[in-house]
Amino acid sequence: MGDTELELSPARLEELQKSPSTSSTSSTSSLSLPSSPSSGPRALTSSSPSTSEGLPTSSPTLDVISEGVGELSLVIDTEMAKKACQEVLQKVKFLKPDGEVSSATSEPVLVNGTAHPESTDGGKPPKITAEEAEPVKSVRRRQKNNSSKQSWLLRLFESKLFDISMAISYLYNSKEPGVQAYIGNRLFSFRNEEVDFYLPQLLNMYIHMDEDVGDAIKPYVVHRCRQSINFSLQCAWLLGAYSSDMHISTQRYSRGTKLRKLILSDELKPSSQRIRREVPQPPPSCPPPLHHGQGMSEHSLSPSKRTHQRSKSDATVSISLSSNLKRTASNPKVETSQDEDLSSSSDSLELEAGTPVRLTPQREFIKSLMGIGKRLATLPTKEQKTQRLISELSLLNHKLPARVWLPTAAFDHHVVRVPHTQAVVLNSKDKAPYLIYVEVLECENFETSSVPVRIPETRIRSTRSVENLPDCGITPDQRASSFSTVPNYDNDDEAWSVDDIGELQVELPEIHTNSCDNISQFSVDSITSQESKEPIFIAAGDIRRRLSEQLAHTPTTFRKDPEDPSAVALKEPWEEKVRRIREGSPYGHLPNWRLLSVIVKCGDDLRQELLAYQVLKQLQIIWEQERVPLWIKPYKILVISSDSGMIEPVVNAVSIHQVKKQSQLLLLDYFRQEHGNYTTEEFLTAQRNFVQSCAGYCLICYLLQVKDRHNGNILLDSEGHIIHIDFGFILSSSPRNLGFETSAFKLTSEFVDVMGGLDGDMFNYYKMLMLQGLIAARKHMEKVIQIVEIMQQGSQLPCFHGSSTIRNLKERFHMNLTEEQLQVLVEQMVDASMRSITTKLYDGFQYLTNGIM
Amino acid sequence: MAQTEKKTGLLRRTSSSKKPLKEKVVLMYEEIFAKEDPTKNNPRFWDELFLMKVNLEYLEGKLESLDGDEVMKVKDNINSLFHHCVQALSEEHQIKVVNALQTLCALFRGVHQKNKSATGFDIINMLMGFDKAELRMKELMESLDSLLCGDGSESLKSLCLKLLLCLVTVTDNISQNTILEYVMINSIFEAILQILSDVSSRSQHGYDAVVLLALLVNYRKYESVNPYIVKLSIVDDEPTLDGMGMVIHHALTDYNRQYKDKEEENQGGFFSTLTSMVGSMFIADADEKLSVQTNEAILLALYEAVHLNRNFITVLAQSHPDIDMSATPAAPVPASPTTPLGTTPPSLDMMNNPELPLDPNLQTSNLLITFLKYSSIIMQDTKDEHRLNSARLCLIILTCIAEDQYADAFLHDDNMNFRVNLHRMPMRHRKKAADKNVPSRPLVCAVLDLMVEFIVTHMMKEFPMDLYVRCIQIIHKLICYQKKCRVRLHYTWRDFWSALINLLKFLLSNETILLAKHNIFQLALQVVNLFNMFITYGDTFLPTPSSYDELYYEIIRMHQVFDNLYCMVLRVSTNAGQWKEPASKVTHALVNVRAIINHFNPKIESYAAVNHISQLSEDQVLEVVRSNYDTLTLKLQDGLDQFERYSEQPKEAGFFKELVRSISLNVRKNVSLSTMSQDLLLKEFSSIS
C-alpha cells in the first residue's frame, strides 16, 4: 500500500529528478543563501504560492527545503538548539521595546533554524543568521505582538515548569508564528521519549494545521528521522494514517504526504562526518530557465553540493566541480534509480555501502505480516486460519533473522525467529487479527549492531560444527562462480575432522543418550534399584493420586476449542510460555534472548485505539503523580495505516467471556478457584487489584464514554486486575447506536460480588478511589483534553462525530462541582450503573448475537 | 551437409563389401571396432561421429557381443571413443553434446552387460585405460557438473542426470560398480543440490536428482567413507532441503492421488458386483488392482534424508498447501548469507517472495502428513515382496522420526493440529466411510492411529513379525517422549489398549504356528512393557485421572488374555529349550498386570456379591477400581523408558543392500535415454546452434 503511494507519475518523477540539478546549480549562488528562504514558495513567506500556482515548482522546492532542514538539525544537536533558543529569546527580550524589530526577530527563529546549519558549521553563532535573516522578516506582514504579553510568555517558556505538554499546548493554541517557531526549536531540548508520546499530536498538527505550525515542527521531525529508523517509520505510518481522512485530491499534495514520501524515500539518512547543508532553491536573481539549463549541463556534477556545502566559504563552483566528478561517475545508477523525490544526494553513496536501504527490511517485514492477515481473512474457519497462519509464519521464518524489530517493544532488538506453532488467530467475526510470539535478541542498537547469524531449527550440533557451517554450506552462487571438484571436497573434508565424520555416520551417539534420561522421579528410583537389586514397590494409589494432583495443580488450563483457539494460548502463564518457547528455540541459549508478542491487526483502524492509549497513559501518569492507587494498563498501539496496525498484547490475561465460558463459573467463584478462599492473602490481593483496576477503568469508561463493553472486551489478568480492551467506540461514537449502554460505565452485580458486595469495605474503597481519581484527573484536565483536541483536527474518526465532542468531554470533568458534589455524583453513577438494565440487556444482546457470555 | 556427403563417399570406398542399407553411424561404429585407428583414414572421424544420431542398440549390442580377447584388441579404439565423448561434452555444438552423452551411456551399459563376471578394474581398463582413467573421469564429472549447473538447455540437464543414473545403476549391486569410485572423488553433490534449490530446475529434474542422490549415498556406505553421506548430513541450506522435501512430497502425493483415483474407480465396480455372493473374494481382487507401483527409490531418498540430515526433520513439518509442486513457487530464494553487518538483509529479497496461493478450500499439508497417508496405503497390503519392503522402509523412517527430539516436539505440538485422513483397509467387520470427519489433532495422533491400524489389520497367517516389532517400537519411543516431556495427549487410549490386547490374544491362539518361525516372546514382552509404562508412569503422561482408571478397567476386563499369556510363558520358561529365556522375561514383565488382576478381581466379585448384581456395569467396576487403589502395591520395573536407538548397521544393512539392488534394477529398467526423441532435441537445438 505504501508502495503504491510512492509510485510517482512519470511527469512528476521527471520533475523530481530535475530537482537535484536545480539545487546543484543553486549552490553556485550559495552566498546569497540568507535571502533564499524568502524566495522559495516556502511556508515562511506568508504569501506562499497557492497550491495551484506552485504545483510544478513547489514539489522540488519542498524537497530541497526538507533536505536542508534535515541537515540543519543534524548540525544542531539538542544542546545547540537550546542555546540557540535562548539566544534568540535573549534578543527578543532585549528588543522588546522595539515592537517592529521584536516581531521580526522572533519570527525568524524558524528561518534561523533553517539557515542555521551552515553558520553553526562555520562556527558562527546563530544570532548572525538571525540578523541575516532579518531583512526577510521585514518582508513579512505579520501582525505585531503585544510585547508585554509575549514577555510573560517567554518567562514561562524559560521556566522549569515548561514541559512538553505545555509546549504542545502552546504550539496548538498559539496563533503566533514566533511562538510556534520558538517551540519548534524548543522541541529539541526535550527528551526523545517525552516528545515521542506526543508524536501523533505533532504529526496531526503538521498535517492539518496551518503552515507556520508545520514549519515549526518539521525541523525537529526531520532531525529525529535522521537519527532513528524506528522514528522514521513511525512518522511515515502516522503521517499516512492521519492524512487518510483528507480528500484524495488534496491528500496527494498535502505536506503530510510529502513528508511521508520524503521519509520513505530514505533520504533522511544520518549524514556522515561531512555535513551537507541546505541547498537553497534558485535564488531570485536567477531566472528559472537559466537554472534549468545549467542544471542540465551540470547534472553530472550534482554531487558537488556536498563539498561546497561544507561551509559557505568554500562553496565555489570550481571546487565542487573538481572534487565531485568521480563520485557521480562511480555510481550513476543510484541517482537515476531513485524514484522518490529529492536528488539522490551524493552523501547517500557513502551510506549506501553501509546501509543499502535503511527502511526496507522493516517495511517488508510489516508488509508480510499484514499480507498474512489479509489472506487469513479470506479463509472461512478458525481452524483453516490457524493452519494457514502457522504455515505462513514458517515461511516467514526462513527470512529471519533480519534487521527487523517489533516497534512495540521497549528495547532495541533484532527479530530472530517466529515460533510459528505458537501463533493463534484471535476471535473476530470477519477480520483476522492474530497474535504472534516473536523471539528477539536484545542488542545495543538495532541500526548498528550486527544481525544475528541464523541458527538452524535443529541445533543439535556442537558449537564447533555450528561455527563451521558457513564454510560447509555451499550456496548456489558460490558454486556457480567457481567449480572445482576435488578441492571442494577436500575443503569439506578438512572442515569435518575424521572424528566428526565418524560421529556423523554413527548418528551422533552421545546426543542420543538423553533420550533415555531420567526426568521422572521413578526413573531415578529405577537407577538405584538397578544398583541395589532390591525390588522397589510403589503404591498404585500414589500414581493415581499424583496424576490427579498434577492435573489439578496446573491451574485451570483451558480446554482446546477449535472455535476459540486463542483461549488456551492466552491462558498459559507468560513465564511458562517463555520458558517453553525458549527451550524449543535454537536461539534460546543466548543470554540476550527475549520473547515478545504482538497482535497484528489488518483491516482495523487503530487510530482511536492510539488516542485511547494516550489518554489512558496520561491519566495513569496523573494518578501516579497524585498518588491515587488506581490501576490501569495502557497497552501500546502501533498505527501503520488507517486500516492496519499492531497491538501489544496484555500478557497473562484472558477475557471474562473466555473465563466464564471455559470455567462455567461465576466470576467470584472463579476468583476463589484461581486465588484461594476469601481469607487467603492471595485472594485478598487479587480482590484489591480487582477493585483498583475496576475503579480505574470505570473512570476511563465514563470520561471517554467507552462503549461496546461486553465481556469479550474486558480482560482479567492472573493477578485479578481487569483490563478493558478495544476502544473502537469512544467519545461520540457507540455501536450501531442502538441506545444500549446508557449507563456511565459497566458495573455488573458479578463485579460487585467480587468486591465483596454492596456493603463491603472494598466496595466503599472502590467508590472512594473513583472520587479521588476523578478529582486528580480534574486537576490536570487540560493535559487530557489537549490530547483529544489536537487529534480532532482534520479527523473523520467516528469518535469525533458531531461538534460537541470536546465540550462534552470537558463537561464530564465537572470543573464546577465541589468535592462533595463530586462525591454525590460518583455515588449516583455507581448506583445507576449497577441498576442499569441496559448493561444486562447489552450482555444479553451480545450473547445472542455473538455468543459472548 | 555437403561435407557429410563427401565423407560418406569416402566411407563407402573402404567398406564397399558391407550391406548398403547400414546407417552411416553404424558404419562408423564398425570402424571403431575394427582394431585400426579410425582417424587413420579420416582425420575428422571423431568430429563427424558426434554429429550423427546415436544408434544405442547397435553400440550396446556390439559391445555385448565382444568376448574378452576381442575387447582387448579394440581397447585402444574404445578408449579413444570414450575420450572423445568426454571431450565432445564441452563442445559448443549442443547436438554433439547430446550425442556424446548418449554414446557414453551406451558405452557404460554395453561394457557392463558384456562383462557380468569381469571385475570393475577390467571394465575401467576397457573404457578408459588404467593410466588415463582418473583424468578421464575427472574431466567427465567436471563437464557434467558444469552442464548441470550452467544455464544450458533443460533437456541437456535431464540427459546428464539420465547418464549419471545409468552409470550408477549399471551393476546390480551398486557397491560393485568400481567406476563410482571416481564419482566419489569428483563429487557432483553440489550440482544435485543446486538443482534441488532452484524452483524451475527442481520441478523438471528434481525426481532424477533425488533418486541419484539416494543411490550415490548407498555406494559402499558401510565399507568406506562415502563423501555423499558426509555432505548430505551437513547440508543446512533451507531452500535446498525444502526443495528436496518438495520433490519427495510431490512424488508421494502423486502416488496417493493415483491410488485414490483407482480406488474410486474400483469402488463402483465393487458395489455393482457386491450382489454376487463372493464379495469377500472381490475385495481381494480389488486390492490387487489397487496396487499402484510403489516408489521405493523416493522412499529411500526420504529415509536417507531423515536418517542422515538432522536439519531435514524441520522440512517434514514445513507446511504448505496441498497442491501441485510445479505450481508452488515456494522459497525460490537462494540463500544469501547474512553478512556480518546484516547489510544485505535476507529480508530484502526474501520478504517479497511470492505469496502462497489463495484458496480457502486448500488443505494445508506437509511432507509428514503425506508420508503418513502414503504409509497407510502401503501398509494395507504387505503380501508381495516390494510392498513388504516399502512397508518396512516406512516403518524404519517412522522409527527415525520418533527418535528425533525435534520431530517429537512438533508431532506433539498442541498448536499444530491437522486432519489426517489415513487409508483404511476395507474389512468385513467395520465401515469404511467413517474417516471423513476425523478431528483436527496433533500429528502424533495420526502416527498412533496408523500404528493401531497396522496392528489390527495384520494378524494373519503370514505374520509380519518384523513389522510388528518395529511398530511397537515406534509406539514405545513416542510414549517415552511423552513421559519425559510430560505431554498429556488427549488420545483414545482405550482403543489403543484393546488393539494391543487383541494382538496378545492372536499370538496366544496361534502360538504353535508362529513359534515355528518367530520369537513371539520378544513381541509379547514389548507389548506387556507398553502396559507397564502406562501402569507405572501413567501419572506423567495420561490426560486425565479417569484414563488411569480406564486402563485398569481394560486390563481387568481382558484378564483372560493376560492369564493365558502368563500360563503360556510360564509353561515355556519351565521347559528347557530355546525359548526358555525370552519366555521367562515375559513372566517377569507380567508381574504388575497380574497384581492388578489378582487385586481387583476378588474385590469386584465381592462387590457383586454384596450388592447382588450378576453383571457389573462399567461405572460400577470403575468405582471398585477407584476405591481400592490404595491397597495395591506395584513393583517398579527397570528400564521401561529406555530403548535401543535405531542404527542401520549392522542390523539393517542386509535389508538396505537388497533394497538398493532392487531399486537399481528398477531405475535401470526405467531410465531410457531414447524417451527423448532425437527429433525433439534437434528441434530444440537447431535454433540454438
Side-chain angles (χ1 to χ4, degrees), chain A residues 634-678:
Chain A
Y635 49 89
K636 281 191 193 148
I637 301 289
L638 179 75
V639 170
I640 290 172
S641 72
S642 56
D643 69 343
S644 63
M646 294 197 202
I647 301 177
E648 175 195 36
V650 183
V651 297
N652 290 330
V654 286
S655 75
I656 290 184
H657 157 69
Q658 284 167 333
V659 165
K660 295 178 76 151
K661 194 173 175 202
Q662 292 273 350
S663 68
Q664 299 288 335
L665 294 173
L666 288 172
L667 212 50
L668 178 62
D669 297 330
Y670 180 77
F671 259 72
R672 286 166 60 199
Q673 179 193 307
E674 292 282 297
H675 304 289
N677 228 328
Y678 298 118

Side-chain angles (χ1 to χ4, degrees), chain A residues 353-357 360-361 364-365 368 375 378-380 383-384 386-388 390-392 394-396 398-404 417 420-424 448-454 456-458 460-461 469 472-477 479-480 483 485-486 488-489 492 496 501 504-505 507-508 512-523 525-526 529-530 533 535-548 550-551 560 580 584, chain B residues 138 141-142 145 149 184-187 190-191 194 197 221 224-227 229-231 233-236 238 242 307-308 310-311 313-314 318-321 334-335 337-338 340-348 350-353 355-364 405-406 413-419 440 483-484 486 488 535-540 542-546 548-549 552 626 629-630 632-639 641-643 645:
Chain A
T355 40
V357 199
T360 315
E364 290 293 339
F365 178 62
S368 35
R375 272 165 269 150
T378 61
L379 297 172
E383 190 186 311
Q384 280 175 308
T386 309
Q387 281 186 3
R388 168 57 70 89
I390 289 173
S391 63
E392 294 257 16
S394 74
L395 284 184
L396 187 68
H398 282 270
K399 301 149 194 166
L400 299 172
R403 197 176 289 282
V404 298
R417 181 173 176 263
H420 49 276
T421 62
Q422 305 304 317
V424 281
T448 52
S449 304
S450 61
V451 173
V453 179
R454 180 175 176 83
E457 284 287 299
T458 49
I460 319 279
R461 299 217 186 84
L469 286 180
C472 303
I474 294 139
T475 66
D477 313 49
R479 275 206 36 72
F483 167 74
T485 35
V486 181
N488 228 343
Y489 170 53
D492 281 355
W496 289 80
I501 291 165
L504 274 165
Q505 282 175 331
E507 264 275 290
L508 304 166
H512 302 330
T513 50
N514 63 11
S515 66
C516 44
D517 73 350
N518 308 289
I519 278 194
S520 146
Q521 61 268 44
F522 300 124
S523 314
D525 292 350
S526 77
S529 79
Q530 274 170 343
K533 289 286 167 200
I536 292 189
F537 294 100
I538 42 174
D542 288 344
I543 300 174
R544 173 65 159 71
R545 210 167 299 123
R546 240 184 333 255
L547 176 56
S548 31
Q550 274 169 8
L551 285 169
K560 224 178 169 63
R580 194 167 53 81
Chain B
K138 182 167 186 278
M141 297 311 291
E142 281 178 11
D145 185 282
C149 296
M184 294 295 130
I185 301 167
N186 304 292
S187 170
E190 290 73 23
Q194 193 183 319
S197 64
K221 65 160 34 158
S224 62
V225 176
N226 178 332
I229 292 181
V230 179
K231 289 181 181 191
S233 62
I234 59 173
V235 177
D236 67 342
E238 272 161 82
D242 268 359
H307 180 231
L308 291 175
R310 307 209 64 98
N311 300 316
I313 291 288
T314 55
Q318 200 81 69
S319 25
H320 35 78
T338 332
L341 276 169
T343 44
T344 49
S347 45
L348 241 182
M350 293 181 142
M351 284 296 175
N352 36 25
N353 81 324
E355 294 166 353
L356 292 172
L358 251 184
D359 181 357
N361 300 317
L362 230 50
Q363 266 285 333
T364 316
Q405 297 270 322
Y406 182 83
D413 194 325
D414 218 19
N415 284 332
M416 281 177 72
N417 290 332
F418 291 96
R419 296 173 198 278
S440 197
K483 170 193 167 274
K484 195 184 105 179
R486 314 225 153 191
R488 298 181 188 278
I535 293 168
T536 41
Y537 298 129
D539 59 330
T540 56
L542 279 173
T544 57
S546 61
Y548 194 68
D549 306 338
Y552 279 54
R626 266 194 285 272
Y629 275 126
D630 283 331
L632 172 64
T633 308
L634 299 169
K635 187 168 172 269
L636 192 70
Q637 281 143 321
D638 293 333
D641 56 349
Q642 320 226 329
F643 54 81
R645 285 205 67 96

